[in-house]
Amino acid sequence: MTTSPDISFYRVCLIGAETAKVNVIAPHFGEEPCIQGHNGSGSVFFSGCNLRCVFCQNHDIAHQRNGFDATPEELAEWYMKLQNVGKVHNINLITPEHVVPQVVLSILRAKDLGLRLPIVYNTSAFDSPESLELLDGLVDIYLPDFKVWTKASSKRLLKAEDYASAAMESIKAMHAQVGDLCFTTDGIAKKGLLLRHLVMPGKEEEGQEIMRWLGDNVSRDIFVNIMEQYHPDAHVGKSSRSSPAPSSVGSSEELPTSEPGGGPSSITSARYSEINRTVTGQEISSVRRAAENAGIWRFCDPVRHDGFNI
């Protein structure tokens, strides 16, 4: 696993150094239109993650590390199958932050085998500078998330207090490598940065801060996908059992009931209740307005025609 001098990067990846663990390799049609195109994006879902987002919508892959082991050489052969058999538009490396050395070797090997497709680095943006230096010149399209802004949200929801500072450094480095997103004549992304922000319930002010930072510090021509598909998942909304606080004599508070064995039961509540709902249209619109006010104008909006929105 790659590391940074910042202590929060020193995490146990539980994968190893010789191989990467992969869950799915296949054409994928769940990405942005300019990424998936007509034939799909050649997606490689790596198992494991260097974050522990409590709302992770791929938690069976990221947290449980389900999948099979593959050497860099085997990964390269899969990339070639995606290109030659799947006819996909790109090789989309999903959550690769913790296996960057293996990924670099796989890309180099695939290029030796004749890989011509753009490489998409699909990341949480919790990347180390050393990782991005290794990837310079090998990645064509960076596809980072920028999840939350405050240390409190990062610590509680991502289990990484310094997430925002790492993401800012990473996104600036990515943009310096590949620039703003550009396209082929038929609207397929070929090089540049496409940034995602998943609007979360009650966190719209953090999204607004992210948009202002992007406009001021990265580029007003940045291509942004303001995503509205958040839903409670992983640990959010799961039952949490905790011991009730003792009640004083004569208190009007309800006393705990008894379990069949005679002891007091614990109170059940939903975990991470503050994000245990979907987002509202008002929350999404407020983040969009903040982006526009920051001078950002290129958005991944639903297309109103049969082509692609560039």
Side-chain angles (χ1 to χ4, degrees), residues 123 168 231 267 283:
T123 171
M168 287 188 281
H231 61 270
I267 295 176
E283 289 168 331

Side-chain angles (χ1 to χ4, degrees), residues 58-77:
N58 287 324
H59 58 96
D60 57 328
I61 300 174
H63 294 189
Q64 299 174 17
R65 303 185 307 282
N66 295 323
F68 61 93
D69 294 328
T71 65
E73 293 76 18
E74 290 169 335
L75 286 172
E77 291 172 2

Side-chain angles (χ1 to χ4, degrees), residues 281-303:
Q282 182 177 358
E283 289 168 331
I284 296 163
S285 297
S286 70
V287 177
R288 172 66 174 253
R289 285 195 301 272
E292 293 171 345
N293 291 338
I296 296 170
W297 60 279
R298 302 174 77 203
F299 298 98
C300 186
D301 291 329
V303 296

Side-chain angles (χ1 to χ4, degrees), residues 203-222:
K203 304 295 182 184
E204 68 273 20
E205 291 184 0
E206 300 197 29
Q208 295 164 17
E209 289 292 341
I210 289 170
M211 295 302 140
R212 284 190 281 269
W213 179 83
L214 290 170
D216 291 341
N217 297 277
V218 181
S219 172
R220 293 181 179 179
D221 296 325
I222 188 171

Side-chain angles (χ1 to χ4, degrees), residues 7 23 27 74 82 89 113 146 197 235 268 282 290-291 293 295 297:
I7 190 66
N23 187 271
E74 290 169 335
L82 288 168
H89 297 284
L113 295 175
F146 200 147
H197 172 66
H235 303 293
T268 301
Q282 182 177 358
N293 291 338
W297 60 279

Side-chain angles (χ1 to χ4, degrees), residues 16 28-29 53 58 94 109 158 222 227 230 234 242 253 256 276:
H28 184 50
F29 292 87
C53 302
N58 287 324
I94 300 173
R109 176 56 180 160
L158 314 185
I222 188 171
M227 305 169 75
Y230 171 83
S242 58
E253 295 182 4
N276 190 26

